Amino acid sequence: MKQPNITYALQMTKDYLDGKIDSLTYGLDFPYEVESRYRKMVKENRMMAELIYDCLVEDGAFLYHDLSEEQFEVKIREQYELVDDVCRNLQ
């Protein structure tokens, strides 16, 4: 089953971790992108949508202003690996 909105959110995070997106852009744009796509993400896979929101938005991007740039990257990487592991195990 195709999951274009979930794939987009995960790819945006991977692009940040790969240095293709700077931390400011990710910290500000990622929550907006997830919020604008959330209903579609839920239709694609409710568990993954909730996991992305909980891990990558609430416990990730929302911490942008509270962490140093290095701490932020480490946090996003940890959260992304968790979400990615769950995603791989579901397939």
Side-chain angles (χ1 to χ4, degrees):
M1 181 171 161
K2 291 187 177 184
Q3 300 178 338
N5 295 287
I6 289 172
T7 300
Y8 179 85
L10 294 175
Q11 186 61 51
M12 186 175 183
T13 302
K14 184 160 180 6
D15 287 348
Y16 163 66
L17 294 171
D18 290 344
K20 296 176 184 175
I21 298 174
D22 64 271
S23 60
L24 177 62
T25 301
Y26 181 80
L28 297 176
D29 288 354
F30 185 74
Y32 170 79
E33 291 294 338
V34 170
E35 182 179 336
S36 66
R37 297 166 183 266
Y38 192 73
R39 286 185 182 177
K40 293 176 184 176
M41 291 170 67
V42 167
K43 288 179 182 178
E44 293 170 6
N45 185 320
R46 177 176 292 277
M47 187 182 82
M48 284 303 300
E50 290 174 359
L51 188 64
I52 288 168
Y53 187 81
D54 290 346
C55 293
L56 294 174
V57 176
E58 284 189 341
D59 292 335
F62 281 172
L63 300 176
Y64 173 74
H65 297 291
D66 298 332
L67 302 173
S68 71
E69 197 163 321
E70 294 79 21
Q71 291 171 323
F72 181 72
E73 182 179 340
V74 167
K75 181 67 171 177
I76 296 298
R77 188 171 304 281
E78 289 170 353
Q79 297 298 86
Y80 174 78
E81 288 172 0
L82 171 70
V83 172
D84 190 50
D85 285 346
V86 170
C87 185
R88 289 176 193 272
N89 288 325
L90 289 176
Q91 294 177 357

Coordinates of all heavy atoms in Angstrom, one line a residue:
M1 N 0.8 -1.2 0.0 CA 0.0 0.0 0.0 C 0.9 1.2 0.0 O 1.8 1.4 0.8 CB -0.9 0.0 1.2 CG -1.8 1.1 1.4 SD -2.9 0.7 2.7 CE -3.5 2.3 3.1
K2 N 0.6 2.2 -0.9 CA 1.4 3.4 -0.9 C 1.0 4.3 0.3 O -0.1 4.4 0.7 CB 1.1 4.1 -2.2 CG 1.6 3.4 -3.4 CD 1.4 4.3 -4.7 CE 2.0 3.6 -5.9 NZ 1.9 4.4 -7.1
Q3 N 2.1 4.9 0.7 CA 2.0 5.8 1.9 C 2.7 7.1 1.6 O 3.7 7.4 2.2 CB 2.5 5.2 3.1 CG 1.8 3.9 3.5 CD 2.4 3.3 4.8 OE1 3.5 3.5 5.1 NE2 1.6 2.5 5.4
P4 N 2.3 7.9 0.6 CA 3.1 9.0 0.1 C 3.3 10.1 1.2 O 4.4 10.7 1.2 CB 2.3 9.6 -1.1 CG 0.9 9.1 -0.9 CD 1.0 7.8 -0.2
N5 N 2.3 10.3 2.1 CA 2.5 11.4 3.1 C 3.4 10.9 4.2 O 4.2 11.7 4.7 CB 1.1 11.8 3.6 CG 0.3 12.4 2.5 OD1 0.6 13.6 2.1 ND2 -0.7 11.7 2.0
I6 N 3.3 9.7 4.6 CA 4.2 9.1 5.6 C 5.7 9.1 5.0 O 6.6 9.5 5.7 CB 3.8 7.7 6.1 CG1 2.5 7.9 6.9 CG2 4.9 7.0 6.8 CD1 1.8 6.6 7.3
T7 N 5.8 8.6 3.8 CA 7.1 8.6 3.1 C 7.7 10.0 3.0 O 8.9 10.2 3.3 CB 6.9 8.0 1.7 OG1 6.4 6.7 1.9 CG2 8.2 8.0 1.0
Y8 N 6.9 11.0 2.7 CA 7.3 12.4 2.7 C 7.9 12.8 4.0 O 9.0 13.4 4.0 CB 6.2 13.3 2.2 CG 6.7 14.7 2.1 CD1 7.3 15.2 1.0 CD2 6.5 15.6 3.2 CE1 7.7 16.5 0.9 CE2 7.0 16.9 3.2 CZ 7.6 17.4 2.0 OH 8.0 18.7 2.0
A9 N 7.2 12.6 5.1 CA 7.7 13.0 6.4 C 9.0 12.3 6.8 O 9.9 12.9 7.3 CB 6.6 12.7 7.5
L10 N 9.1 11.0 6.5 CA 10.3 10.3 6.8 C 11.5 10.8 5.9 O 12.6 10.9 6.4 CB 10.1 8.8 6.7 CG 9.1 8.2 7.7 CD1 8.9 6.7 7.3 CD2 9.6 8.3 9.1
Q11 N 11.2 11.0 4.6 CA 12.2 11.5 3.7 C 12.7 12.9 4.1 O 13.9 13.2 4.0 CB 11.7 11.5 2.3 CG 12.8 11.9 1.3 CD 14.0 10.9 1.3 OE1 13.8 9.7 1.2 NE2 15.2 11.4 1.4
M12 N 11.8 13.7 4.6 CA 12.2 15.1 5.0 C 13.1 15.0 6.2 O 14.1 15.7 6.3 CB 11.0 15.9 5.4 CG 11.3 17.4 5.7 SD 9.8 18.3 6.0 CE 10.5 19.9 6.2
T13 N 12.8 14.1 7.1 CA 13.7 13.9 8.3 C 15.1 13.3 7.8 O 16.1 13.8 8.3 CB 13.0 12.9 9.3 OG1 11.8 13.5 9.7 CG2 13.9 12.7 10.5
K14 N 15.0 12.4 6.9 CA 16.3 11.8 6.4 C 17.1 12.9 5.7 O 18.3 12.9 5.8 CB 16.0 10.6 5.5 CG 17.3 9.9 5.0 CD 17.0 8.5 4.5 CE 18.2 7.8 4.0 NZ 19.5 8.3 4.1
D15 N 16.4 13.7 4.9 CA 17.1 14.8 4.2 C 17.8 15.7 5.2 O 18.9 16.2 5.0 CB 16.2 15.6 3.4 CG 15.8 14.9 2.1 OD1 16.4 13.8 1.8 OD2 14.8 15.3 1.4
Y16 N 17.2 16.0 6.4 CA 17.8 16.8 7.4 C 19.0 16.1 8.0 O 20.1 16.7 8.1 CB 16.8 17.1 8.5 CG 17.5 17.6 9.8 CD1 18.2 18.8 9.8 CD2 17.5 16.8 10.9 CE1 18.9 19.2 10.9 CE2 18.2 17.2 12.1 CZ 18.9 18.4 12.1 OH 19.5 18.8 13.2
L17 N 18.9 14.9 8.3 CA 20.0 14.1 8.9 C 21.1 13.9 7.9 O 22.3 13.8 8.3 CB 19.5 12.7 9.4 CG 18.5 12.8 10.5 CD1 17.9 11.4 10.8 CD2 19.2 13.4 11.8
D18 N 20.8 13.9 6.6 CA 21.9 13.8 5.6 C 22.5 15.2 5.2 O 23.3 15.3 4.3 CB 21.3 13.2 4.3 CG 21.0 11.7 4.5 OD1 21.5 11.1 5.5 OD2 20.3 11.1 3.7
G19 N 22.0 16.3 5.8 CA 22.6 17.6 5.6 C 22.0 18.3 4.4 O 22.5 19.4 4.0
K20 N 20.9 17.8 3.9 CA 20.2 18.5 2.7 C 19.3 19.6 3.2 O 18.9 20.4 2.3 CB 19.5 17.5 1.9 CG 20.4 16.4 1.3 CD 19.6 15.4 0.5 CE 20.5 14.3 0.0 NZ 19.7 13.2 -0.6
I21 N 18.9 19.6 4.4 CA 18.0 20.6 5.0 C 18.7 21.1 6.3 O 19.2 20.3 7.1 CB 16.6 20.0 5.4 CG1 15.9 19.5 4.1 CG2 15.8 21.1 6.1 CD1 14.6 18.8 4.4
D22 N 18.7 22.4 6.5 CA 19.4 22.9 7.7 C 18.4 22.7 8.9 O 17.2 22.5 8.7 CB 19.8 24.4 7.6 CG 18.6 25.3 7.3 OD1 18.3 25.5 6.1 OD2 18.1 25.8 8.3
S23 N 18.9 22.8 10.1 CA 18.2 22.6 11.3 C 17.0 23.6 11.5 O 16.0 23.2 12.0 CB 19.1 22.5 12.6 OG 19.7 23.7 12.7
L24 N 17.3 24.8 11.2 CA 16.2 25.8 11.3 C 15.0 25.5 10.4 O 13.9 25.5 10.9 CB 16.8 27.2 11.0 CG 15.7 28.4 11.0 CD1 15.1 28.5 12.4 CD2 16.4 29.7 10.6
T25 N 15.3 25.2 9.2 CA 14.2 24.9 8.2 C 13.5 23.6 8.7 O 12.3 23.6 8.7 CB 14.8 24.6 6.8 OG1 15.5 25.8 6.4 CG2 13.7 24.3 5.8
Y26 N 14.2 22.6 9.1 CA 13.6 21.4 9.6 C 12.7 21.7 10.9 O 11.6 21.3 11.0 CB 14.6 20.3 9.9 CG 14.0 19.0 10.4 CD1 13.4 18.2 9.5 CD2 13.9 18.7 11.7 CE1 12.8 17.0 9.9 CE2 13.3 17.6 12.2 CZ 12.7 16.7 11.3 OH 12.1 15.5 11.7
G27 N 13.3 22.4 11.8 CA 12.6 22.7 13.1 C 11.4 23.5 12.9 O 10.4 23.3 13.7
L28 N 11.3 24.3 11.9 CA 10.1 25.1 11.6 C 9.2 24.5 10.6 O 8.0 24.5 10.8 CB 10.5 26.5 11.1 CG 11.3 27.3 12.1 CD1 11.7 28.7 11.4 CD2 10.5 27.6 13.4
D29 N 9.7 23.9 9.6 CA 8.8 23.4 8.5 C 8.3 22.0 8.8 O 7.2 21.6 8.3 CB 9.6 23.3 7.2 CG 9.8 24.7 6.6 OD1 9.3 25.7 7.2 OD2 10.5 24.8 5.6
F30 N 9.1 21.1 9.4 CA 8.6 19.7 9.6 C 7.3 19.7 10.4 O 6.4 19.0 10.0 CB 9.7 18.9 10.3 CG 9.3 17.5 10.4 CD1 9.3 16.6 9.3 CD2 8.9 16.9 11.6 CE1 8.9 15.3 9.4 CE2 8.5 15.6 11.7 CZ 8.5 14.8 10.6
P31 N 7.1 20.4 11.5 CA 5.8 20.3 12.2 C 4.7 20.8 11.3 O 3.6 20.2 11.4 CB 6.0 21.2 13.4 CG 7.5 21.2 13.7 CD 8.1 21.1 12.3
Y32 N 4.9 21.8 10.6 CA 3.9 22.3 9.6 C 3.5 21.3 8.6 O 2.3 21.0 8.3 CB 4.3 23.6 9.0 CG 3.4 24.0 7.8 CD1 2.2 24.7 8.1 CD2 3.7 23.7 6.5 CE1 1.3 25.0 7.1 CE2 2.8 24.0 5.5 CZ 1.6 24.7 5.8 OH 0.8 25.0 4.8
E33 N 4.5 20.6 8.0 CA 4.2 19.6 7.0 C 3.5 18.4 7.6 O 2.5 17.9 6.9 CB 5.6 19.1 6.4 CG 6.2 20.2 5.5 CD 5.5 20.5 4.2 OE1 4.6 19.7 3.8 OE2 5.7 21.6 3.7
V34 N 3.8 18.0 8.8 CA 3.1 16.9 9.4 C 1.7 17.3 9.7 O 0.7 16.5 9.4 CB 3.9 16.4 10.6 CG1 3.0 15.4 11.4 CG2 5.2 15.7 10.2
E35 N 1.5 18.5 10.2 CA 0.2 18.9 10.6 C -0.7 19.0 9.3 O -1.9 18.6 9.4 CB 0.2 20.3 11.3 CG -1.1 20.8 11.7 CD -1.1 22.2 12.4 OE1 0.0 22.5 13.0 OE2 -2.1 22.9 12.3
S36 N -0.2 19.6 8.3 CA -1.0 19.7 7.1 C -1.3 18.4 6.4 O -2.3 18.3 5.6 CB -0.3 20.7 6.1 OG 0.9 20.1 5.6
R37 N -0.5 17.4 6.6 CA -0.7 16.1 6.0 C -1.3 15.0 7.0 O -1.5 13.9 6.6 CB 0.6 15.5 5.5 CG 1.2 16.4 4.4 CD 2.7 16.0 4.2 NE 3.3 16.8 3.2 CZ 3.4 16.5 1.9 NH1 2.9 15.4 1.5 NH2 4.0 17.3 1.1
Y38 N -1.5 15.4 8.2 CA -1.8 14.4 9.3 C -3.0 13.6 9.0 O -3.0 12.3 9.1 CB -1.9 15.1 10.6 CG -2.0 14.1 11.7 CD1 -0.8 13.4 12.1 CD2 -3.1 13.8 12.4 CE1 -0.8 12.5 13.2 CE2 -3.2 12.8 13.4 CZ -2.0 12.2 13.8 OH -2.0 11.2 14.8
R39 N -4.1 14.2 8.5 CA -5.3 13.4 8.2 C -5.1 12.3 7.2 O -5.5 11.2 7.3 CB -6.5 14.3 7.8 CG -7.0 15.0 9.0 CD -8.2 15.8 8.5 NE -8.7 16.6 9.7 CZ -9.7 17.4 9.6 NH1 -10.4 17.6 8.5 NH2 -10.1 18.0 10.7
K40 N -4.3 12.7 6.1 CA -4.0 11.8 5.1 C -3.0 10.7 5.6 O -3.2 9.5 5.2 CB -3.3 12.5 3.9 CG -4.3 13.4 3.2 CD -3.5 14.1 2.1 CE -4.5 15.1 1.4 NZ -3.8 15.9 0.4
M41 N -2.1 11.1 6.5 CA -1.2 10.1 7.1 C -2.0 9.1 7.9 O -1.7 7.9 7.9 CB -0.2 10.8 8.0 CG 0.8 11.6 7.2 SD 1.9 12.7 8.2 CE 2.9 11.5 9.1
V42 N -3.0 9.5 8.7 CA -3.8 8.6 9.5 C -4.5 7.6 8.6 O -4.6 6.4 8.9 CB -4.8 9.4 10.4 CG1 -5.8 8.5 11.0 CG2 -4.0 10.1 11.5
K43 N -5.0 8.1 7.4 CA -5.7 7.2 6.5 C -4.7 6.1 5.9 O -5.1 5.0 5.7 CB -6.3 7.9 5.4 CG -7.6 8.7 5.8 CD -8.2 9.5 4.7 CE -9.4 10.3 5.2 NZ -10.0 11.1 4.1
E44 N -3.5 6.5 5.7 CA -2.5 5.6 5.2 C -2.1 4.6 6.3 O -2.0 3.4 5.9 CB -1.2 6.4 4.8 CG -1.5 7.3 3.6 CD -0.3 8.2 3.3 OE1 0.8 8.1 4.0 OE2 -0.5 9.1 2.4
N45 N -1.8 5.0 7.5 CA -1.4 4.1 8.6 C -1.5 4.9 9.9 O -0.6 5.7 10.2 CB 0.0 3.6 8.3 CG 0.4 2.5 9.3 OD1 0.1 2.7 10.5 ND2 1.1 1.5 8.9
R46 N -2.5 4.6 10.6 CA -2.8 5.4 11.9 C -1.6 5.3 12.9 O -1.1 6.3 13.4 CB -4.0 5.0 12.6 CG -4.3 5.7 13.9 CD -5.6 5.3 14.6 NE -6.7 5.9 13.8 CZ -7.2 7.1 13.9 NH1 -6.6 7.9 14.7 NH2 -8.2 7.5 13.2
M47 N -1.1 4.1 13.1 CA 0.0 3.9 14.0 C 1.2 4.7 13.6 O 1.9 5.3 14.4 CB 0.3 2.4 14.2 CG 1.3 2.2 15.3 SD 1.8 0.5 15.5 CE 3.0 0.3 14.2
M48 N 1.6 4.6 12.3 CA 2.8 5.3 11.9 C 2.6 6.8 12.0 O 3.5 7.5 12.3 CB 3.1 4.9 10.4 CG 3.8 3.6 10.3 SD 5.3 3.4 11.3 CE 6.3 4.7 10.6
A49 N 1.4 7.3 11.6 CA 1.1 8.7 11.7 C 1.3 9.2 13.2 O 1.9 10.2 13.4 CB -0.3 9.0 11.2
E50 N 0.7 8.5 14.1 CA 0.8 8.8 15.5 C 2.3 8.7 16.0 O 2.8 9.6 16.8 CB -0.1 7.9 16.4 CG -1.5 8.3 16.1 CD -2.5 7.3 16.8 OE1 -2.0 6.4 17.5 OE2 -3.7 7.5 16.7
L51 N 3.0 7.7 15.6 CA 4.4 7.6 15.9 C 5.3 8.7 15.4 O 6.1 9.3 16.1 CB 4.9 6.2 15.4 CG 6.3 5.8 15.9 CD1 6.3 5.6 17.4 CD2 6.7 4.5 15.2
I52 N 5.0 9.1 14.2 CA 5.8 10.2 13.6 C 5.5 11.5 14.3 O 6.4 12.2 14.7 CB 5.4 10.4 12.1 CG1 6.1 9.2 11.3 CG2 5.9 11.7 11.5 CD1 5.6 9.1 9.8
Y53 N 4.2 11.7 14.7 CA 3.9 12.9 15.4 C 4.5 12.9 16.8 O 5.1 13.9 17.2 CB 2.3 13.1 15.5 CG 2.0 14.4 16.1 CD1 2.0 15.6 15.4 CD2 1.7 14.5 17.5 CE1 1.7 16.8 15.9 CE2 1.5 15.8 18.1 CZ 1.5 16.9 17.3 OH 1.3 18.1 17.9
D54 N 4.3 11.8 17.5 CA 4.8 11.7 18.9 C 6.4 11.8 18.9 O 6.9 12.6 19.7 CB 4.4 10.4 19.5 CG 2.9 10.4 19.8 OD1 2.3 11.4 19.8 OD2 2.4 9.3 20.1
C55 N 7.0 11.1 18.1 CA 8.5 11.0 18.1 C 9.2 12.1 17.4 O 10.2 12.7 17.9 CB 9.0 9.6 17.6 SG 8.5 8.2 18.6
L56 N 8.8 12.4 16.2 CA 9.5 13.4 15.4 C 9.0 14.8 15.5 O 9.8 15.7 15.2 CB 9.5 12.9 13.9 CG 10.2 11.6 13.6 CD1 10.0 11.2 12.2 CD2 11.7 11.8 13.9
V57 N 7.8 15.0 15.9 CA 7.3 16.4 16.1 C 7.4 16.7 17.6 O 8.2 17.6 18.0 CB 5.9 16.5 15.6 CG1 5.3 17.9 15.9 CG2 5.8 16.3 14.1
E58 N 6.6 16.1 18.4 CA 6.5 16.4 19.9 C 7.9 16.2 20.6 O 8.3 17.1 21.3 CB 5.4 15.7 20.6 CG 4.0 16.2 20.3 CD 3.0 15.6 21.2 OE1 3.2 14.5 21.8 OE2 1.9 16.2 21.3
D59 N 8.5 15.0 20.4 CA 9.7 14.7 21.1 C 10.9 15.0 20.1 O 12.0 14.5 20.4 CB 9.7 13.3 21.5 CG 8.8 13.0 22.7 OD1 8.4 14.0 23.4 OD2 8.3 11.9 22.8
G60 N 10.7 15.7 19.1 CA 11.8 16.0 18.1 C 11.8 17.5 17.7 O 12.4 18.3 18.4
A61 N 11.1 17.8 16.6 CA 11.2 19.2 16.1 C 10.7 20.2 17.1 O 11.3 21.3 17.0 CB 10.3 19.2 14.8
F62 N 9.8 19.9 17.9 CA 9.4 20.9 18.9 C 10.5 21.3 19.9 O 10.4 22.3 20.6 CB 8.1 20.5 19.7 CG 6.8 20.6 19.0 CD1 5.7 20.0 19.5 CD2 6.7 21.3 17.8 CE1 4.5 20.2 18.9 CE2 5.5 21.4 17.1 CZ 4.4 20.8 17.7
L63 N 11.5 20.5 20.0 CA 12.6 20.8 20.9 C 13.7 21.7 20.3 O 14.7 21.9 20.9 CB 13.2 19.5 21.4 CG 12.3 18.5 22.1 CD1 13.0 17.2 22.4 CD2 11.7 19.2 23.3
Y64 N 13.5 22.1 19.0 CA 14.5 22.9 18.3 C 15.0 24.1 19.1 O 16.2 24.3 19.2 CB 13.9 23.4 17.0 CG 14.9 24.3 16.3 CD1 16.0 23.8 15.7 CD2 14.7 25.7 16.3 CE1 16.9 24.7 15.1 CE2 15.6 26.5 15.7 CZ 16.7 26.0 15.1 OH 17.6 26.9 14.5
H65 N 14.2 24.8 19.8 CA 14.6 26.0 20.5 C 15.2 25.7 21.9 O 15.8 26.5 22.5 CB 13.4 27.0 20.7 CG 12.9 27.5 19.4 ND1 13.6 28.3 18.6 CD2 11.7 27.2 18.7 CE1 12.9 28.6 17.5 NE2 11.8 28.0 17.6
D66 N 15.0 24.4 22.4 CA 15.5 24.1 23.7 C 16.8 23.4 23.7 O 17.4 23.2 24.7 CB 14.5 23.1 24.4 CG 13.1 23.8 24.6 OD1 13.1 25.0 24.7 OD2 12.1 23.1 24.6
L67 N 17.3 22.9 22.5 CA 18.5 22.2 22.4 C 19.6 22.9 21.6 O 19.2 23.7 20.7 CB 18.3 20.8 21.8 CG 17.3 19.9 22.5 CD1 17.0 18.7 21.7 CD2 17.8 19.5 23.9
S68 N 20.8 22.6 21.8 CA 21.9 23.1 20.9 C 21.7 22.4 19.5 O 21.0 21.4 19.4 CB 23.3 22.8 21.4 OG 23.5 21.5 21.3
E69 N 22.3 23.0 18.5 CA 22.2 22.4 17.2 C 22.6 20.9 17.2 O 22.0 20.1 16.5 CB 22.9 23.2 16.1 CG 22.5 22.9 14.7 CD 23.0 24.0 13.8 OE1 22.9 25.2 14.1 OE2 23.4 23.6 12.7
E70 N 23.7 20.6 17.9 CA 24.3 19.3 17.9 C 23.3 18.4 18.7 O 23.1 17.2 18.3 CB 25.6 19.3 18.6 CG 26.7 20.0 17.8 CD 26.7 21.5 18.0 OE1 26.1 22.0 19.0 OE2 27.2 22.2 17.1
Q71 N 22.8 18.8 19.8 CA 21.9 18.0 20.6 C 20.6 17.8 19.8 O 20.0 16.7 19.9 CB 21.5 18.8 21.9 CG 22.6 18.8 22.9 CD 22.3 19.8 24.1 OE1 21.6 20.8 23.9 NE2 22.7 19.4 25.2
F72 N 20.1 18.8 19.1 CA 18.9 18.6 18.3 C 19.1 17.5 17.2 O 18.3 16.7 17.0 CB 18.6 20.0 17.6 CG 17.3 19.9 16.8 CD1 16.1 19.8 17.4 CD2 17.4 20.0 15.4 CE1 14.9 19.8 16.6 CE2 16.3 20.0 14.6 CZ 15.0 19.9 15.2
E73 N 20.3 17.6 16.5 CA 20.5 16.6 15.5 C 20.6 15.2 16.1 O 20.0 14.2 15.5 CB 21.8 16.8 14.8 CG 22.1 15.8 13.7 CD 23.3 16.1 12.9 OE1 23.9 17.2 12.9 OE2 23.8 15.2 12.2
V74 N 21.2 15.0 17.3 CA 21.3 13.7 17.9 C 19.9 13.2 18.3 O 19.6 12.1 18.1 CB 22.2 13.8 19.2 CG1 22.1 12.5 20.0 CG2 23.7 14.0 18.8
K75 N 19.1 14.1 18.8 CA 17.7 13.8 19.2 C 16.9 13.3 18.0 O 16.2 12.3 18.1 CB 17.1 15.0 19.9 CG 15.7 14.7 20.4 CD 15.7 13.7 21.5 CE 14.3 13.6 22.2 NZ 14.3 12.6 23.2
I76 N 17.0 14.1 16.9 CA 16.2 13.7 15.7 C 16.7 12.4 15.2 O 15.9 11.6 14.8 CB 16.3 14.9 14.7 CG1 15.7 16.1 15.2 CG2 15.7 14.4 13.4 CD1 14.2 16.1 15.5
R77 N 18.0 12.2 15.2 CA 18.5 10.9 14.7 C 18.0 9.7 15.5 O 17.6 8.7 15.0 CB 20.1 11.0 14.7 CG 20.7 9.8 14.0 CD 22.2 9.9 13.9 NE 22.6 11.1 13.1 CZ 22.6 11.3 11.8 NH1 22.1 10.3 11.1 NH2 23.0 12.4 11.3
E78 N 18.0 9.9 16.8 CA 17.5 8.8 17.7 C 16.1 8.5 17.4 O 15.6 7.4 17.3 CB 17.7 9.2 19.2 CG 19.1 9.2 19.7 CD 19.3 9.8 21.0 OE1 18.3 10.4 21.6 OE2 20.4 9.7 21.6
Q79 N 15.3 9.6 17.3 CA 13.8 9.5 17.1 C 13.6 8.9 15.7 O 12.7 8.0 15.6 CB 13.1 10.8 17.3 CG 13.2 11.4 18.7 CD 12.6 10.5 19.7 OE1 13.2 9.6 20.3 NE2 11.3 10.8 20.0
Y80 N 14.3 9.3 14.7 CA 14.2 8.8 13.4 C 14.5 7.3 13.3 O 13.7 6.5 12.7 CB 15.0 9.6 12.4 CG 15.0 9.0 11.0 CD1 13.9 9.2 10.2 CD2 16.0 8.2 10.5 CE1 13.8 8.7 8.9 CE2 15.9 7.6 9.3 CZ 14.9 7.9 8.4 OH 14.8 7.3 7.2
E81 N 15.5 6.9 14.0 CA 15.9 5.5 14.0 C 14.8 4.6 14.6 O 14.5 3.5 14.1 CB 17.3 5.3 14.7 CG 18.4 5.8 13.8 CD 19.8 5.8 14.5 OE1 19.8 5.4 15.7 OE2 20.7 6.2 13.9
L82 N 14.2 5.1 15.7 CA 13.1 4.4 16.3 C 11.9 4.3 15.4 O 11.4 3.2 15.2 CB 12.7 5.2 17.6 CG 11.4 4.6 18.2 CD1 11.6 3.3 18.9 CD2 10.9 5.6 19.3
V83 N 11.5 5.4 14.7 CA 10.4 5.3 13.8 C 10.7 4.5 12.6 O 9.9 3.7 12.2 CB 10.0 6.8 13.4 CG1 9.0 6.8 12.2 CG2 9.5 7.6 14.5
D84 N 11.9 4.6 12.1 CA 12.3 3.8 10.9 C 12.3 2.3 11.2 O 11.9 1.5 10.4 CB 13.7 4.2 10.4 CG 14.1 3.6 9.1 OD1 13.2 3.7 8.1 OD2 15.2 3.1 9.0
D85 N 12.8 1.9 12.4 CA 12.8 0.5 12.8 C 11.4 0.0 12.9 O 11.1 -1.1 12.4 CB 13.4 0.3 14.2 CG 15.0 0.4 14.2 OD1 15.5 0.3 13.0 OD2 15.6 0.5 15.2
V86 N 10.5 0.7 13.5 CA 9.0 0.3 13.5 C 8.5 0.2 12.1 O 7.8 -0.8 11.8 CB 8.2 1.3 14.4 CG1 6.7 1.0 14.3 CG2 8.7 1.3 15.8
C87 N 8.8 1.1 11.3 CA 8.3 1.1 9.9 C 8.8 -0.1 9.2 O 8.0 -0.8 8.5 CB 8.7 2.4 9.2 SG 8.0 2.5 7.5
R88 N 10.0 -0.5 9.3 CA 10.6 -1.6 8.7 C 10.0 -2.9 9.2 O 9.8 -3.9 8.4 CB 12.1 -1.7 8.8 CG 12.8 -0.6 8.0 CD 14.3 -0.6 8.3 NE 15.0 0.5 7.8 CZ 15.5 0.6 6.6 NH1 15.4 -0.4 5.8 NH2 16.1 1.7 6.2
N89 N 9.7 -3.0 10.5 CA 9.1 -4.2 11.1 C 7.7 -4.4 10.7 O 7.1 -5.5 10.7 CB 9.3 -4.2 12.6 CG 10.7 -4.4 13.0 OD1 11.4 -5.2 12.4 ND2 11.1 -3.8 14.1
L90 N 7.0 -3.3 10.3 CA 5.6 -3.4 9.8 C 5.5 -3.9 8.4 O 4.4 -4.4 8.0 CB 4.9 -2.0 10.0 CG 4.6 -1.6 11.4 CD1 4.0 -0.2 11.4 CD2 3.7 -2.5 12.1
Q91 N 6.5 -3.8 7.6 CA 6.4 -4.2 6.2 C 6.6 -5.6 6.0 O 7.1 -6.4 6.6 CB 7.5 -3.4 5.4 CG 7.1 -1.9 5.4 CD 8.2 -1.1 4.7 OE1 9.2 -1.6 4.2 NE2 7.9 0.2 4.5

